[in-house]
Every structure is written in structure tokens, then in C-alpha cells.
Amino acid sequence: MPKYALALVNIKGLGVKTFSYLIPDEMKDEIQVGQAILVPFGRQGLINAFCVGFSDYLPEEIKAKKINKILDKTPLFSLEYLKLLEWVANYYICDFVTVLNTAIPMKLIEKCSKTEKSIEYLSSENTTKRQKEILDLLKEKGKMSLIEFERLAKTTRATVMKLADAGCVKLADEEIYRNPLEIFADQKVEPLYDLNDEQTKVYNEINKQIKSKTRKNEPLLLYGVTASGKTEVYFKLIKDTIDSGKNVLFLAPEIALASQLTKRLARKFGINDVAIWHSSISDGERYDVWQKLYKNEIKILAGARSAVFAPLKNIGLIIIDEEHENAYKQTTPAPRYDARKVARKLAEFHNCPLILGSATPDIESYYRASNMKLLSEMPHRFNNAPVAQTSVINMQNHSRQAYRGVISIPLQTAIKETLEKGQQVILLINRRGYSTTTQCQACGQVIECENCSIPMIWHSDGMELKCHYCGKTKSFPEVCPKCGSNALKNSGTGTQKIEILIKELFADARIERIDSDILQKKTAHIELLNRFQSGEIDILIGTQMIAKGLDNPNVTLVGVISADASFNLPDYRASERGFQLLTQVAGRSGRGKFLGSVIFQTYNPDFYAIESAKAQDYKTFYSTEIAAREEFDYPPFSQVIRLVLSSENEFRAEKSAQEIAYRLCSIIEKQGVSERLIVLGPSVCVIERIQNKHRFQIIIKNKMDEKGHMFISKFMQRITMPKDVKLTIDVDPIDIL
Ligand code: ADP
Ligand code: ZN
Ligand code: ZN
């Protein structure tokens, strides 16, 4: 048995760190990785920690203290689990402790030692004077934690127990966890549907792949148009997996979709075997689910990105639905992990299949799957419901007659006809706020944020200009700050303007808007979608938030106000994102028994991504896009590693960027890998300044897989940054703006 245990602690001011502690003899038989322990820490006294490893060696000058106590003998995670986290740290070039901190909620440690109870006032009959004093204090404070009460009332546990026996107070376990799926408890579990021919074919194909002796550790891709019945195929595969005694991890891109999915799973598989995991579940719930997972009591775990770190055991199948979604990638803070990549590694550890599903697969996923013959297709909607008819309105010809230059006559007519039939409309405008720029008509000056180099956006609800990067607001300037003329004007179109215009045009319709401005409450999104689902809203206006997941059979018109808006970003993935968005939103129309239609308004009707989105033709889009990627060596032909150097001091940020690029290039040259590690830059970022920090970037195109990461990782260890320059490393970034 080793001498020391490595303890993960979370210290105020220091953050999450690991320290070594001596293992007392009496604990040597019991201590395990993953246990919550109590350790002494400087002036803070005893604190909670996790045991994350062991060692026999300690530098001489360090005197290790002893572990005080093992708080909970049941470990919360295993050694294999830590190996996965270690891989994440290496791949994403960030330190292990940061990964641990993301994966294992530190709140769990606190929960472990909370055997405490809460205390509540009941009555003060038949008490002594002193007891009544104590009870009055409690009456005034209401329900509180027992420890805190004892401290406040300067009383002892013995006194409290007497009061409890006399019926003067009530003691209860803190935070009683309730299973959110309880509402389905009385419902009968429904049988799975019989699959139709197309579903059966795909199910057999996937099954063959899964059972194949030569199965590679590569994901299978299920490319199926929206509403083709992919989810029902997953359910059949899930059933097979749990029947064989193994567990299933099922990821959805965001919380709202994960909860929809969990309900659907609960209906088919019962509430006891299913659990949900995402960043917003309560600590009590998380602790409870974590322990159940660890005891292997849950068979199907559904969740958003962070669920890839839940300690589900004995995994036999991983499914990632809507695999093309950005939301699988954490952009900030570090670790900037991508749940799809981590899931691949997880599947490798468990030697189990990973299935990706999408109607608009990520270019990289499609490339790999089609090359490796791991692709299954469902080209038709379930029951052969026809896909919606798409028309493109060329705004070059239509803008003059359009309402306020924005809502074309054909779109107005289509909305009117849809409402008359009692059916529902979705309008997509992928920009929040009222307009897109505030510009001086005399000198051309655009009002930008003082802290960030991007235009501020007028918000008609708060009557102020807002920066979408740092949140800074200011009132509309009376005159142009540059030339002093009073010719400042809002131009461009955002969700708020569309909401106003549509309300003017369709005064009798029930109209709501969904974008992140109105979603201060986490549940507001789900509430609005539910109201739309039940027919209480006629026209739903929103950003890309409304493009996903909505399965409302009464929606027969989808209008895209500006199909160009999604393509304008100077980023290599802009076309892919735009195409996905248009195709996904079009897929919301005509899902039920009524034929649907879709209208794209655009100034670039010939643009290939708009043409293929109109034809709902993924494959044509893919072949154009993959050729461009190959020509410019972008993924999947390389992996991008992005370094951003930012500082309030522009000169120092630039100088650091130059120095890093220079040193990196010379070491690459020396090692003779310059063909496989290509360094671009440094250059100024597209968004030059955010929150008053000047930004420079270096783009590395890596063509040697994980060896490239190791190379960069090693290189980075030797770099020390000046105090006032911040280095951010993003592996496989979702954009390079
Ligand atoms: P996707 O996941 O491809 O978008 P879904 O699996 O949600 O599609 O299927 C679309 C709709 O068709 C759902 O309401 C689903 O319940 C229904 N459906 C799919 N397959 C079947 C089946 N074999 N039998 C009955 N209904 C089905
Ligand atoms: Zn001006
Ligand atoms: Zn700003």
C-alpha cells in the first residue's frame, strides 16, 4: 500500500488543487480512489476532499499531514474514470485539475459530509423559560439548518433532542430528493413501436455493425431526414442493450431537448431505470443520481453535454442525437471539450458502439462514416409524409414592395393563408435585438462598444444599445460621436423588429418571440415551447433556438426572414452552420398530416448552401463543402488548434503572439514536422477586442492526430506568459472569430 494519498481540494481563493496526505495505518485497508475524505488544511482546519490517487514519493522539503477521516466508504468514481479525464486534459491541452473540477461537481464533496438535519418550529407549549427563549428565536428565523441553529441559540444537541421529543420542533433530513419523472409513475409503460421497413433495414445494418467481430472503434452515423423515425430506431437498440445487461448513455444537445427525450424514454422504459443529467439539475438530485449510477442502479442516462462525465457504469451503447450541434462543445471556460470527442473515447474504454444521428451531419462525421462504411441512411419521413415545399424569394426583386422592406408579399400571403386554416407559423431571424447596426448616414460611423470592437445593437424593449459580447449598454446618442450630425439611424433586422412588424401586419394573431433576451429564467424557453405546442401561439418568432427539436404537427409554414444572415461570418464553418440551420428549421414544417411549406428570403438565391438547403439536398451540399475543406486543409483534413492571446495592452499581446509563433515554428522546423503541423499567423482576431482586451490568434492545423496535441502540449509547458497577457487554447474550436 502506498504511503500517500493525493487529495483534490477546493480552497477559496486557491481554487481546485491536489495535495498529498499521509495515509494513517488504520485507513490503509479502506482507502480507495473516489472516496470523499476529510483533511487538515492550514488555517482553514479540516476540509472535505476527494482521494484521486496514490504515491510513495514526496519531495523531501514537504511534510505531509495525515488524512483525518474517510467520510464515505462508497467511492464516487473509479480509476478508469480518472483515466478518461486525463485523456481529456491531454487532448484539450489543459490541466487535469480543471477537468476534474468540471467533471466532478465539487458540491458533491460538501454533500458527502452533510448528515445534518434541518430544524423547524412547531410549538412552545410546556417549556421552561430558557427553552421558550430558544424556540422564539427559531420561530422568528423559520426553518434552518440544525448546526446553524445550535450555534445561534448557543444550545446543545441534547437540548434540541429534548425539544424534539416534546413535539416542540421538527427535525428533518435536508433536501429530500424527488425524482422529476415521478409524474409518470402511474402511467403504464408503453410497448415499443414495430419498426417500418426503412427503420428495420437501418436497425439491421447497425446491429450487424455492432456485432461484427472486426468492429472498429469508430462511430456509426445514422443520417436520417427530420421525422424519419430515428428516435424509434434508437429505442429498439436501447432495448437490446439493456436486455443484454448493459447500460445506455443518450446525449441530446441541450437541456430542453434532453428533458423531452427523458420523458419519452420514461414512457417506454419506466421511470426507475431512467435518469437525467445536465448542468442545471439541483445538487440534491445530482448527488442522488451520481450515487445510483455508481451503484449501477440506472440503465439509461439521458442528458446534455456534461452527462458525458457522469459515472455511468458498464456502458453498452452511447447515442448522440443531433450530433451536428455546436452545443456539444464547451466554448468557455476550460476544458473546452467536445462531448462527441469525449464520448468516442468513452466508447473505446467500454468497447461499446457509439451512434451519431442527424438530419444534417457534421461534415467531419459524414466524411469519416462514409469513408469507413459506417453510414446508415433514412431518406424518407416516417409514413412517407412528404417534405415541405421550399420556395426562395429573391429580395433583390421583392424588397421594394415588402412591408418596411423586410417582409415580402409572398411571405405575408403565406402567413395569412396559414392562419386562416388555423395552422401555426414559425419565423426565423437569426439575430436578436431590434436592428443590426446603428450608423451615421452622414459620415458612415458605426456605433461600436467601447470595450469590444463590434457594433452595438439597438434593443427596443429596453430602449438602449447593447453589446452582445460584454453586455455593456448605453442610450441612443443624440448626435453622431464623430461628425456631430443628427443622422444616426438603426438599420438591419433583428427579432424585436420582426415581432413589431408582424404584430402590425397580423393584429389578431397570437404572437410570441423566443430569443436569449427574454429567457432570463431557465424554464421560460420550455414554457413558451409548450404553449406553442398546445396551440396557444399562432406565430412564433425566434433565433436558432426555435429551429431545434420542435415536433408540432400543426406547423405548416416556416419563414426565414434573412437566409443570408447565417452565412456572413468570416469563418470556415459558416456555410455548414448556415446550411444546417436552414435545413433544420425547414424540417419543422409539415410534420403532421398537413403538407408544409417553407420560405427563404435572400439576396443571394444562387449561393450553393441556400440552393442545397432549398432542395433539402445534404449530399450536394456535402460534396461542394468537402472539396473546399480539402483545398484549404481545414477539418476533416486537419484538426484546428487555436491559440488566442489577449491583453489590455495591445503591444504586449501582439508581441507574445509573435514570440510564441516564432518559437513554435522553429521547433516544428527542427523536428521536421512542418508538413504536418502548419502554423498560421499571428493575426488580429476578427473580433479585435472583447471586454477591452486586444486579441491576436495563432491557428495550428494539425495533421498528426493526437501526436500533434502532445507536441503542442509539451511546447506549451515551456511557455511562460507575461502576467498581463492571457493565453487561451481551444482545440477543435467551433469558430475562429
Ligand atoms: P426523428 O427522430 O427522425 O426526428 P422520430 O423518431 O421522432 O423522428 O419520429 C417522428 C414521429 O413518428 C414520432 O412522433 C414517432 O413517434 C413516430 N414514429 C416513428 N416511427 C414510428 C413507428 N415505427 N410506428 C409508429 N410511429 C412512429
Ligand atoms: Zn457621422
Ligand atoms: Zn462589449
Side-chain angles (χ1 to χ4, degrees), residues 14-25:
L14 262 181
V16 179
K17 291 236 154 74
T18 55
F19 293 95
S20 293
Y21 285 88
L22 255 173
I23 308 171
D25 285 339

Side-chain angles (χ1 to χ4, degrees), residues 502-528:
I502 291 291
K503 281 183 171 162
E504 285 168 7
L505 284 170
F506 302 97
D508 297 334
R510 296 163 299 172
I511 297 162
E512 293 286 350
R513 189 185 97 223
I514 291 194
D515 56 33
S516 49
D517 285 325
I518 58 157
L519 300 181
Q520 305 306 343
K521 270 196 307 173
K522 273 187 178 127
T523 50
H525 181 198
I526 301 175
E527 274 165 31
L528 270 170

Side-chain angles (χ1 to χ4, degrees), residues 230-412:
K230 295 185 286 298
T231 312
E232 302 296 333
V233 175
Y234 301 145
F235 284 2
K236 191 91 173 39
L237 293 161
I238 291 173
K239 175 109 190 5
D240 295 348
T241 309
I242 59 179
D243 284 351
S244 76
K246 296 209 165 178
N247 302 327
V248 179
L249 176 65
F250 196 149
L251 300 185
E254 50 167 84
I255 295 169
L257 295 178
S259 31
Q260 264 180 40
L261 176 70
T262 312
K263 285 179 203 155
R264 221 166 140 181
L265 284 165
R267 233 173 262 138
K268 299 280 179 179
F269 297 96
I271 67 161
N272 294 323
D273 291 344
V274 180
I276 185 165
W277 184 277
H278 54 68
S279 56
S280 319
I281 56 176
S282 72
D283 292 335
E285 203 173 334
R286 191 183 307 278
Y287 184 63
D288 194 84
V289 175
W290 188 289
Q291 286 211 317
K292 278 191 186 160
L293 290 171
Y294 204 80
K295 292 181 200 151
N296 202 3
E297 288 173 0
I298 282 166
K299 294 189 178 137
I300 308 169
L301 183 70
R305 149 178 104 217
S306 62
V308 79
F309 289 129
L312 181 66
K313 286 198 161 172
N314 193 21
I315 302 177
L317 173 67
I318 304 176
I319 299 166
I320 304 187
D321 197 23
E322 308 286 0
E323 65 88 31
H324 61 278
E325 286 288 345
N326 268 347
Y328 284 117
K329 168 91 162 121
Q330 173 151 313
T331 48
T332 204
R336 299 182 169 77
Y337 71 96
D338 188 327
R340 290 165 294 193
K341 287 257 162 67
V342 182
R344 260 179 86 162
K345 207 64 196 173
L346 190 62
E348 206 178 301
F349 279 7
H350 287 264
N351 191 22
C352 78
L354 165 63
I355 300 175
L356 308 174
S358 175
T360 51
D362 187 279
I363 295 285
E364 284 189 70
S365 308
Y366 193 88
Y367 175 79
R368 278 177 213 284
S370 56
N371 281 351
M372 296 189 161
K373 306 217 166 1
L374 295 171
L375 177 66
S376 290
E377 301 187 35
M378 294 172 69
H380 305 105
R381 280 188 165 180
F382 176 71
N383 271 347
N384 274 317
V387 284
Q389 279 296 317
T390 305
S391 38
V392 170
I393 305 296
N394 184 351
M395 291 303 279
Q396 292 172 20
N397 309 327
H398 281 268
S399 68
R400 219 166 310 139
Q401 295 89 29
Y403 186 63
R404 301 271 296 275
V406 183
I407 298 167
S408 67
I409 303 276
L411 181 57
Q412 289 177 41

Side-chain angles (χ1 to χ4, degrees), residues 440 442-445 480 482-483 485:
C440 172
C443 76
Q445 175 79 3
C480 168
K482 195 173 163 202
C483 74
S485 79

